[in-house]
Amino acid sequence: MFAALVNGAEGRTSNLLSDMEHGDIELSLEFMVPEGSNSGVYLQGRYEVQILDSWQKYQPTFADCGGIYQRHLNGQGFEGTSPRVNASLPPGEWQRFDIQFRAPRFDAEGNKVENARFVKVNHNGVVIHENVEVTGPTRSASYEDEKPWGPLMLQGDHGPIAFRNLLGRHAIFP
């Protein structure tokens, strides 16, 4: 856990990858974005929950705050899941994600036998996703492959963002 991390007024720094790697995880974090800013939290450095100034957006998409960002192949986006509701607060206020993530499963030979899944995502105390399966890494992921473990990635190159009170603990989801 850390007190606060800010990527600067311009928000054009590198992505931050943790030394810690995780499989299944329960992750809580707080973030603050100014008007118009954009970032993301990547579980295993591969699967993104979007952070965006989406205050007062009435029909959120996968690209809005709390969306599970889409995949990308040959210049085309696909999949992606919109949050059930927009739970965003105004720009400049601290917001919170509580994420339960189930890592992809592999057999003894290393073949993927089950996709990764967002078991539950809460945004500011509101459930915005339950049991959302993701078939592969999100666009702009640090890795294109899939593995049972990977680092947490905080996107730092899309605009100003501040994080605080990041806490993750290993979990086991059936």
Side-chain angles (χ1 to χ4, degrees), residues 7-25:
N7 71 343
E10 298 299 315
R12 301 289 182 225
T13 61
S14 299
N15 297 330
L16 180 65
L17 283 101
S18 67
D19 288 333
M20 179 255 343
E21 292 198 344
H22 68 87
D24 294 359
I25 191 170

Side-chain angles (χ1 to χ4, degrees), residues 86-131:
N86 183 358
S88 295
L89 298 176
E93 291 193 25
W94 284 104
Q95 303 190 55
R96 181 180 177 105
F97 280 153
D98 294 295
I99 302 168
Q100 296 176 353
F101 175 80
R102 183 180 184 277
R105 302 299 200 246
F106 297 85
D107 65 19
E109 288 79 39
N111 300 304
K112 185 171 80 165
V113 295
E114 290 184 52
N115 290 321
R117 181 167 38 102
F118 287 92
V119 176
K120 186 181 283 187
V121 179
N122 288 327
H123 182 192
N124 296 323
V126 177
V127 176
I128 59 170
H129 295 291
E130 283 186 288
N131 294 312

Side-chain angles (χ1 to χ4, degrees), residues 28-154:
S28 297
L29 62 94
E30 294 177 350
F31 61 91
M32 183 187 337
V33 292
E35 187 174 346
S37 198
N38 175 354
S39 185
V41 177
Y42 286 74
L43 289 294
Q44 295 190 320
R46 294 173 173 88
Y47 314 98
E48 181 185 11
V49 177
Q50 174 77 338
I51 294 175
L52 183 73
D53 166 26
S54 296
W55 170 243
Q56 295 185 326
K57 177 110 183 228
Y58 295 104
Q59 295 182 351
T61 71
F62 68 86
D64 284 301
C65 198
I68 297 173
Y69 210 80
Q70 69 178 202
R71 300 187 62 209
H72 208 250
L73 183 64
N74 299 325
Q76 297 294 317
F78 63 101
E79 295 179 355
T81 304
S82 304
R84 291 179 180 173
V85 297
N86 183 358
S88 295
L89 298 176
E93 291 193 25
W94 284 104
Q95 303 190 55
R96 181 180 177 105
F97 280 153
D98 294 295
I99 302 168
Q100 296 176 353
F101 175 80
R102 183 180 184 277
R105 302 299 200 246
F106 297 85
D107 65 19
E109 288 79 39
N111 300 304
K112 185 171 80 165
V113 295
E114 290 184 52
N115 290 321
R117 181 167 38 102
F118 287 92
V119 176
K120 186 181 283 187
V121 179
N122 288 327
H123 182 192
N124 296 323
V126 177
V127 176
I128 59 170
H129 295 291
E130 283 186 288
N131 294 312
V132 176
E133 184 176 34
V134 287
T135 63
T138 302
R139 180 180 181 176
S140 299
S142 289
Y143 311 98
E144 293 181 15
D145 64 348
E146 293 185 276
K147 295 191 175 180
W149 295 84
L152 182 67
M153 183 181 97
L154 303 176

